[in-house]
Amino acid sequence: MDTDRRPLWQEEPAARPRMADPVRTAAVRAVIIVAITLTQAMVAFLSTLAGSWLAFPAVLSTVASTVVATWAVLDVWVTRQVWVQRNGVQSQPSSTARELRRERRRARRQGRRESRDGRSRVDRAAA
């Protein structure tokens, strides 16, 4: 008998990072609304072919649902843009840019210290 058991599945890293919660919520809402709209369109089409009294109200509700579905899909896009603008893409600066920033910060701090003390570090070292 084989005593070495292989796992049922193996974890693989995701190809893309997970969507932000507000964007995912808007996307799920849009998918549900679009699915309902497509179902309504199919009912409207079939009831029109059958000559049913339900055809006219179904077509009207399908037109209204199409407007709502378009709005929902645009909401996903706008929510994603707003989220990216507020939270941004976290960029990693290159080591040279980081070092230049550190040097500027050091110079600023030293300038503040000197202006606060009224004398430079050289004067203090000589005293």
Side-chain angles (χ1 to χ4, degrees):
M1 280 214 199
D2 186 19
T3 58
D4 292 337
R5 290 192 175 195
R6 290 186 346 201
L8 222 47
W9 65 85
Q10 291 182 349
E11 295 288 332
E12 293 181 10
R16 296 189 328 178
R18 186 174 150 163
M19 273 194 286
D21 286 339
V23 179
R24 190 178 324 109
T25 303
V28 168
R29 186 174 40 236
V31 166
I32 291 171
I33 291 172
V34 167
I36 290 171
T37 302
L38 289 174
T39 305
Q40 277 183 322
M42 186 58 71
V43 166
F45 177 72
L46 293 176
S47 50
T48 301
L49 286 180
S52 171
W53 63 270
L54 189 63
F56 184 68
V59 168
L60 287 180
S61 69
T62 301
V63 170
S65 292
T66 303
V67 172
V68 173
T70 305
W71 187 269
V73 171
L74 281 174
D75 181 47
V76 174
W77 182 67
V78 169
T79 304
R80 183 180 173 278
Q81 295 298 326
V82 167
W83 191 88
V84 167
Q85 188 174 16
R86 286 188 182 156
N87 300 308
V89 177
Q90 303 296 324
S91 62
Q92 298 290 330
S94 67
S95 58
T96 55
R98 194 176 298 128
E99 188 58 38
L100 287 172
R101 230 178 343 195
R102 280 189 197 129
E103 288 175 14
R104 282 193 302 250
R105 231 179 288 139
R106 277 190 212 117
R108 247 191 330 245
R109 285 185 195 137
Q110 187 173 357
R112 283 190 209 130
R113 277 191 214 120
E114 289 173 358
S115 66
R116 201 175 340 135
D117 294 343
R119 55 185 178 172
S120 66
R121 288 180 167 264
V122 177
D123 291 341
R124 244 185 280 145

